[in-house]
Amino acid sequence: MAAEAYVQMKDRRWWREVSWRYLVAVAAVVYAAFPIVYILSASLSPRGTLTGSNELFADITTAQYEALFQTHFPQWIVNTLVIGGVTAIATVLMASAAAYAFSRFRFAGRNGGLTFLLLVQMFPQILAFVAIFLLLLSLRDVIPILGLNSQLGLICVYLGGALGANTFLMFGFFNSIPKELDEAAKIDGAGHARIFFTIILRLVAPVLAVVALLSFVGTFSDYIIAGIVLQDQDKLTIAVGLYQFISGQFDARWGIFAAGAVISALPVLLLFLFLQRYIVGGLTAGSVKG
Amino acid sequence: MGPFFLVKLSVLALINAFGLFVIYSAWQVSHWGILGSMVAILIVANWVYFSKRMIAAKYLFPGLVFLLVYQLFTMGYTAYISFTNYGTGHNATREDAIAANLAQNENRVPDSPSYPLTVVTGADGELGFAIIDGDDGVLVGTEEQTFEAAPDATVTDGDVTEVPGYSVLTFGEVLEQQNEITSLRVGFDDVDEGSIRTQDGSTGYLYRSVLTYDEATGAITNTDTGVVYSDNGEGSFEAEDGSTLVVGWRVAVGFDNFTKMFTDSRLSGPFLSVLVWTFVFAFLSVATTFFLGLFFAIVFNHPAVRGRKIIRSLLILPYAFPGFLSGLVWAGLLNRRFGFINQVLLGGAEIPWLTDPWLAKLSVIGANLWLGFPYMFLITTGALQAISSEVYEAAKIDGARAGRVFRSITLPLLMISVAPLLIASFAFNFNNFNLIYFVTEGGPNFPGSPIAVGATDILISMVYSVAIESGTQQYGLASAMSILIFVMVGLISWLGFRQTRKLEEVI
């Protein structure tokens, strides 16, 4: 049924078929937004306790934010940005390189390699966290910079999961770029590296952005591996740090936690809103976030 | 000789330098596994990048190295650990276990001389002792480094005041670290000679173990009581009455860890209920989020509804909100005494949302519904829009009612594109550690269980509990459980994907 038909729709029919949908919309939006509104209000509350956060927007102060910045929180932000950023960039580079190889070259083991990646990506890294812990424990004796309590070591662990699902996502997009482009460049004397870096990567830039974002959100939300690898207070990521704020003394430091939550969620929320179009496309192509 | 070649050359030079450094350090501490892997990686790297052929390998190599070391190796290593007794009390080799047991059972040697002692710190800040031994002069050592002669040390008024390579602690610093100092033990080269300990930071006494190890029989004897502890073949020294020495070592235990989950009566009860709940949780998580998302998608996918873009942007909020934070926020909202839901929405009712076993299960499903429905809303909206309107018109002409159209047309067509995503979502929720851990920490705990496991624990959070959080860390058992999860998730995904023929499509 075309939209124009509804423009001349009789009032009574509009009431019966459409009006209730707006009621559902209001309910859905309240449901979706209320925990976020609540945490925003809690972060602005002067008392900073769980009880004190129940009156929404009663008093507004920045006290919780000031208290938050007396802690290690600023350092955690930097750590998270560095770890997440480096992981995202390296993930994009390695996954796109692999996708390029699978899409453009025919070599022995190509089909086997693709099946292998499909299988490997089914096993989430967190299942092997005990082995990861013990591996980094041994690495610490040999190369401290890749061992326990090292951020570089953590990045390397994350990069172990770089190929899996990302290569698949990109593989499809690489295949959609006409091979004639490569061939024309080759005739003009470009080598495979030049074709990859200056032609292909530019054409798939939106996919690269989505993979980078999803990878960043993945490292940002990881608690279990980051919590095992990182030990010093000044090395933690936001997820590990914020959790220890409220584990044990839930009520007392709720306000500080809320302030930390708002600061760390805002950039991600904005990114998602701006990149909605790409993310929805990426989702239906098969990548998953809880 | 383009710019790419120069970049390649310098990157490879760096990698080779780093690799050689790793090989050298591994050699120093005799870590043959790391040394061998690094040699292999270096050889393959140089071979791949200096060869004129193997172009595809040049692009695959970096990602594959990380995949092999941090994913495949750790998977294999998990499998290996699952067949050992690795964990607290079984951490190291048999030799280390003997030394540790001897050290832990030391007593002060009666009538032994006392030594003037000075507390020092080494270059890395580790504590140590410098003592004056009548015959040998000044000796210095730390927990790791047994006593060695320090002929260049300065002695003033019968006390060591300066040792090259170490710094002497002031009286105030000694007071600050009392506990560390009184528990510090510095051994002699010869294990049988015992060790030096101090009570006051200025006098050292000789301690010797009441245990002795007999190389010939491979058993440890307690010289006080005469009890003989012999190797029981399971990584411990055991006496005839069944008591064991605290420190054991790592041995292979076959399938013990796997059978323990089902046969050890204290473990099998919690394990089976966690196993069942994991399936229930994963299934309900997918089902609830899918139907709520689908409901919203159908309601708002009506051409007469205005502002659909704004509605979508607002409904995407929980999905964009970082997952680990959502769990914690819901834990706060559901708090029994102070939470918003009990205090404000329910007018002060003290409903134990997170501490009653059944309500806690409801709570994690509820929190997950909030987190998960936007994803389902997005994908079902996309799938609904892809169904052509002609099918609906045909159904209308045939006189099908709305319910019938939904059951016979919308749902089956939707499932074709959405089913693989539902399977992936099931696999994801099967291991949704963050949600469980942050909302309830797996609690409320089962009373009387030897490990901290509770009503909302799923397998992966139980693994975490067994490996990290319970008093004794049982890496072997935790790894065996990980392997079980591997197998289950793999099997479910394989069956599911085979059903939807996704595998053939992709390749």
Short mmCIF file of all heavy atoms in Angstrom, two decimals, chain A residues 22 25 29 272-274 276-277 280, chain B residues 300-317 377-378 381 385:
data_model
loop_
_atom_site.label_atom_id
_atom_site.label_comp_id
_atom_site.label_asym_id
_atom_site.label_seq_id
_atom_site.Cartn_x
_atom_site.Cartn_y
_atom_site.Cartn_z
N TYR A 22 1.87 4.96 17.55
CA TYR A 22 2.61 6.03 18.21
C TYR A 22 2.69 5.79 19.71
O TYR A 22 3.70 6.09 20.35
CB TYR A 22 1.96 7.39 17.92
CG TYR A 22 2.19 7.83 16.49
CD1 TYR A 22 1.16 7.80 15.56
CD2 TYR A 22 3.44 8.29 16.09
CE1 TYR A 22 1.37 8.19 14.25
CE2 TYR A 22 3.66 8.68 14.78
CZ TYR A 22 2.62 8.63 13.86
OH TYR A 22 2.85 9.02 12.57
N ALA A 25 5.35 3.47 20.19
CA ALA A 25 6.63 4.17 19.97
C ALA A 25 7.05 4.91 21.23
O ALA A 25 8.22 4.84 21.63
CB ALA A 25 6.50 5.14 18.79
N VAL A 29 10.41 4.01 23.28
CA VAL A 29 11.48 5.00 23.46
C VAL A 29 11.76 5.21 24.95
O VAL A 29 12.92 5.29 25.37
CB VAL A 29 11.12 6.32 22.75
CG1 VAL A 29 12.08 7.42 23.17
CG2 VAL A 29 11.17 6.12 21.24
N PHE A 272 27.86 5.77 17.00
CA PHE A 272 26.83 4.87 16.48
C PHE A 272 25.74 5.66 15.77
O PHE A 272 25.25 5.24 14.73
CB PHE A 272 26.23 4.03 17.61
CG PHE A 272 26.86 2.69 17.72
CD1 PHE A 272 28.07 2.52 18.35
CD2 PHE A 272 26.24 1.57 17.17
CE1 PHE A 272 28.67 1.29 18.44
CE2 PHE A 272 26.83 0.32 17.27
CZ PHE A 272 28.04 0.19 17.91
N LEU A 273 25.34 6.78 16.37
CA LEU A 273 24.26 7.55 15.74
C LEU A 273 24.71 8.07 14.37
O LEU A 273 23.96 8.02 13.40
CB LEU A 273 23.83 8.69 16.64
CG LEU A 273 23.09 8.24 17.89
CD1 LEU A 273 22.61 9.42 18.71
CD2 LEU A 273 21.89 7.36 17.51
N PHE A 274 25.96 8.54 14.28
CA PHE A 274 26.41 9.10 13.02
C PHE A 274 26.66 8.02 11.97
O PHE A 274 26.46 8.24 10.78
CB PHE A 274 27.67 9.94 13.23
CG PHE A 274 27.37 11.28 13.81
CD1 PHE A 274 27.91 11.67 15.03
CD2 PHE A 274 26.51 12.16 13.15
CE1 PHE A 274 27.61 12.90 15.58
CE2 PHE A 274 26.20 13.39 13.70
CZ PHE A 274 26.76 13.76 14.91
N GLN A 276 25.19 5.07 11.84
CA GLN A 276 24.06 4.15 11.78
C GLN A 276 23.94 3.39 10.48
O GLN A 276 23.82 2.18 10.45
CB GLN A 276 22.79 4.97 11.94
CG GLN A 276 22.08 4.76 13.24
CD GLN A 276 20.75 5.46 13.16
OE1 GLN A 276 19.85 5.00 12.50
NE2 GLN A 276 20.65 6.60 13.82
N ARG A 277 23.97 4.16 9.39
CA ARG A 277 23.70 3.59 8.07
C ARG A 277 24.67 2.44 7.77
O ARG A 277 24.27 1.35 7.39
CB ARG A 277 23.86 4.68 7.02
CG ARG A 277 23.08 4.48 5.77
CD ARG A 277 22.79 5.82 5.11
NE ARG A 277 24.00 6.64 4.97
CZ ARG A 277 24.81 6.57 3.92
NH1 ARG A 277 24.54 5.74 2.93
NH2 ARG A 277 25.88 7.34 3.84
N VAL A 280 24.23 -0.64 10.29
CA VAL A 280 23.10 -1.50 9.98
C VAL A 280 23.43 -2.38 8.79
O VAL A 280 23.12 -3.57 8.77
CB VAL A 280 21.84 -0.64 9.72
CG1 VAL A 280 20.70 -1.51 9.26
CG2 VAL A 280 21.47 0.12 10.97
N PHE B 300 6.40 -0.45 13.57
CA PHE B 300 6.88 0.82 13.00
C PHE B 300 7.15 0.73 11.51
O PHE B 300 7.43 1.74 10.87
CB PHE B 300 8.15 1.29 13.73
CG PHE B 300 7.94 1.42 15.20
CD1 PHE B 300 8.88 0.97 16.10
CD2 PHE B 300 6.79 2.01 15.70
CE1 PHE B 300 8.69 1.08 17.46
CE2 PHE B 300 6.58 2.12 17.05
CZ PHE B 300 7.52 1.66 17.95
N ASN B 301 7.06 -0.45 10.93
CA ASN B 301 7.33 -0.59 9.52
C ASN B 301 6.04 -0.36 8.71
O ASN B 301 5.78 -1.02 7.74
CB ASN B 301 7.90 -1.98 9.22
CG ASN B 301 8.51 -2.04 7.83
OD1 ASN B 301 9.03 -1.04 7.36
ND2 ASN B 301 8.43 -3.19 7.20
N HIS B 302 5.24 0.57 9.16
CA HIS B 302 3.97 0.86 8.50
C HIS B 302 4.14 2.19 7.79
O HIS B 302 4.62 3.15 8.39
CB HIS B 302 2.87 0.94 9.57
CG HIS B 302 1.50 0.96 9.01
ND1 HIS B 302 0.91 2.12 8.57
CD2 HIS B 302 0.59 -0.03 8.83
CE1 HIS B 302 -0.31 1.84 8.13
NE2 HIS B 302 -0.53 0.53 8.27
N PRO B 303 3.78 2.27 6.51
CA PRO B 303 4.08 3.48 5.75
C PRO B 303 3.47 4.75 6.34
O PRO B 303 3.96 5.85 6.06
CB PRO B 303 3.53 3.18 4.36
CG PRO B 303 2.67 1.98 4.53
CD PRO B 303 3.16 1.23 5.69
N ALA B 304 2.41 4.61 7.13
CA ALA B 304 1.75 5.83 7.64
C ALA B 304 2.42 6.35 8.91
O ALA B 304 2.06 7.42 9.38
CB ALA B 304 0.28 5.54 7.91
N VAL B 305 3.35 5.58 9.49
CA VAL B 305 3.99 6.07 10.70
C VAL B 305 5.06 7.08 10.34
O VAL B 305 5.97 6.79 9.56
CB VAL B 305 4.62 4.89 11.48
CG1 VAL B 305 5.38 5.41 12.69
CG2 VAL B 305 3.55 3.92 11.91
N ARG B 306 4.93 8.29 10.88
CA ARG B 306 5.92 9.32 10.56
C ARG B 306 7.05 9.28 11.58
O ARG B 306 6.90 8.78 12.67
CB ARG B 306 5.26 10.68 10.59
CG ARG B 306 4.22 10.76 9.51
CD ARG B 306 3.92 12.17 9.15
NE ARG B 306 2.82 12.12 8.18
CZ ARG B 306 1.99 13.12 8.00
NH1 ARG B 306 2.14 14.22 8.71
NH2 ARG B 306 1.03 13.03 7.11
N GLY B 307 8.18 9.83 11.21
CA GLY B 307 9.32 9.92 12.13
C GLY B 307 9.96 8.57 12.39
O GLY B 307 10.51 8.34 13.47
N ARG B 308 9.89 7.67 11.41
CA ARG B 308 10.47 6.34 11.64
C ARG B 308 11.97 6.41 11.88
O ARG B 308 12.54 5.63 12.63
CB ARG B 308 10.16 5.44 10.44
CG ARG B 308 8.83 4.74 10.59
CD ARG B 308 8.53 3.90 9.40
NE ARG B 308 8.16 4.73 8.26
CZ ARG B 308 8.02 4.28 7.03
NH1 ARG B 308 8.25 3.01 6.76
NH2 ARG B 308 7.65 5.07 6.05
N LYS B 309 12.62 7.37 11.21
CA LYS B 309 14.08 7.49 11.39
C LYS B 309 14.42 7.90 12.81
O LYS B 309 15.37 7.39 13.41
CB LYS B 309 14.64 8.54 10.41
CG LYS B 309 15.01 7.92 9.10
CD LYS B 309 15.97 8.81 8.35
CE LYS B 309 16.35 8.16 7.04
NZ LYS B 309 16.49 9.12 5.94
N ILE B 310 13.62 8.81 13.36
CA ILE B 310 13.90 9.27 14.73
C ILE B 310 13.66 8.12 15.71
O ILE B 310 14.45 7.89 16.62
CB ILE B 310 13.00 10.47 15.08
CG1 ILE B 310 13.35 11.63 14.14
CG2 ILE B 310 13.18 10.88 16.52
CD1 ILE B 310 12.43 12.80 14.25
N ILE B 311 12.56 7.40 15.49
CA ILE B 311 12.28 6.26 16.37
C ILE B 311 13.44 5.28 16.31
O ILE B 311 13.94 4.81 17.34
CB ILE B 311 10.96 5.56 15.95
CG1 ILE B 311 9.78 6.50 16.15
CG2 ILE B 311 10.76 4.27 16.74
CD1 ILE B 311 8.47 5.95 15.65
N ARG B 312 13.93 5.00 15.10
CA ARG B 312 15.04 4.06 14.97
C ARG B 312 16.27 4.56 15.70
O ARG B 312 16.94 3.81 16.41
CB ARG B 312 15.36 3.82 13.49
CG ARG B 312 16.35 2.70 13.30
CD ARG B 312 16.63 2.42 11.85
NE ARG B 312 17.68 3.31 11.36
CZ ARG B 312 18.25 3.17 10.18
NH1 ARG B 312 17.86 2.22 9.35
NH2 ARG B 312 19.20 3.99 9.78
N SER B 313 16.56 5.85 15.56
CA SER B 313 17.74 6.40 16.22
C SER B 313 17.64 6.28 17.73
O SER B 313 18.64 6.04 18.41
CB SER B 313 17.92 7.87 15.85
OG SER B 313 18.17 7.97 14.48
N LEU B 314 16.42 6.47 18.26
CA LEU B 314 16.27 6.39 19.72
C LEU B 314 16.29 4.94 20.19
O LEU B 314 16.82 4.64 21.26
CB LEU B 314 14.97 7.08 20.15
CG LEU B 314 15.02 8.61 20.06
CD1 LEU B 314 13.65 9.21 20.27
CD2 LEU B 314 16.01 9.17 21.07
N LEU B 315 15.71 4.05 19.39
CA LEU B 315 15.70 2.64 19.81
C LEU B 315 17.08 2.00 19.71
O LEU B 315 17.33 0.97 20.33
CB LEU B 315 14.70 1.84 18.97
CG LEU B 315 13.22 2.10 19.23
CD1 LEU B 315 12.37 1.03 18.58
CD2 LEU B 315 12.94 2.15 20.71
N ILE B 316 17.97 2.61 18.95
CA ILE B 316 19.31 2.05 18.79
C ILE B 316 20.16 2.34 20.03
O ILE B 316 21.21 1.74 20.24
CB ILE B 316 19.96 2.63 17.51
CG1 ILE B 316 20.93 1.64 16.88
CG2 ILE B 316 20.71 3.90 17.80
CD1 ILE B 316 21.53 2.16 15.59
N LEU B 317 19.68 3.25 20.90
CA LEU B 317 20.47 3.69 22.06
C LEU B 317 21.03 2.54 22.91
O LEU B 317 22.22 2.51 23.20
CB LEU B 317 19.64 4.64 22.94
CG LEU B 317 19.55 6.09 22.46
CD1 LEU B 317 18.63 6.88 23.37
CD2 LEU B 317 20.92 6.73 22.41
N PHE B 377 15.71 -5.61 16.36
CA PHE B 377 14.85 -4.63 15.70
C PHE B 377 15.47 -4.21 14.37
O PHE B 377 14.80 -4.18 13.32
CB PHE B 377 14.65 -3.43 16.63
CG PHE B 377 14.01 -2.24 15.99
CD1 PHE B 377 12.68 -2.27 15.58
CD2 PHE B 377 14.74 -1.07 15.78
CE1 PHE B 377 12.09 -1.16 14.99
CE2 PHE B 377 14.16 0.03 15.19
CZ PHE B 377 12.84 -0.01 14.79
N LEU B 378 16.78 -3.92 14.39
CA LEU B 378 17.45 -3.47 13.18
C LEU B 378 17.44 -4.54 12.10
O LEU B 378 17.10 -4.27 10.95
CB LEU B 378 18.90 -3.06 13.49
CG LEU B 378 19.08 -1.80 14.33
CD1 LEU B 378 20.54 -1.57 14.64
CD2 LEU B 378 18.51 -0.61 13.59
N THR B 381 13.86 -5.29 10.81
CA THR B 381 13.36 -4.22 9.96
C THR B 381 13.94 -4.36 8.55
O THR B 381 13.21 -4.29 7.55
CB THR B 381 13.76 -2.85 10.54
OG1 THR B 381 13.23 -2.73 11.85
CG2 THR B 381 13.23 -1.72 9.69
N GLN B 385 11.70 -5.23 5.11
CA GLN B 385 11.64 -4.34 3.95
C GLN B 385 12.06 -5.07 2.68
O GLN B 385 11.73 -4.63 1.58
CB GLN B 385 12.53 -3.11 4.20
CG GLN B 385 11.88 -2.16 5.20
CD GLN B 385 12.81 -1.08 5.69
OE1 GLN B 385 14.01 -1.12 5.42
NE2 GLN B 385 12.26 -0.12 6.42
#
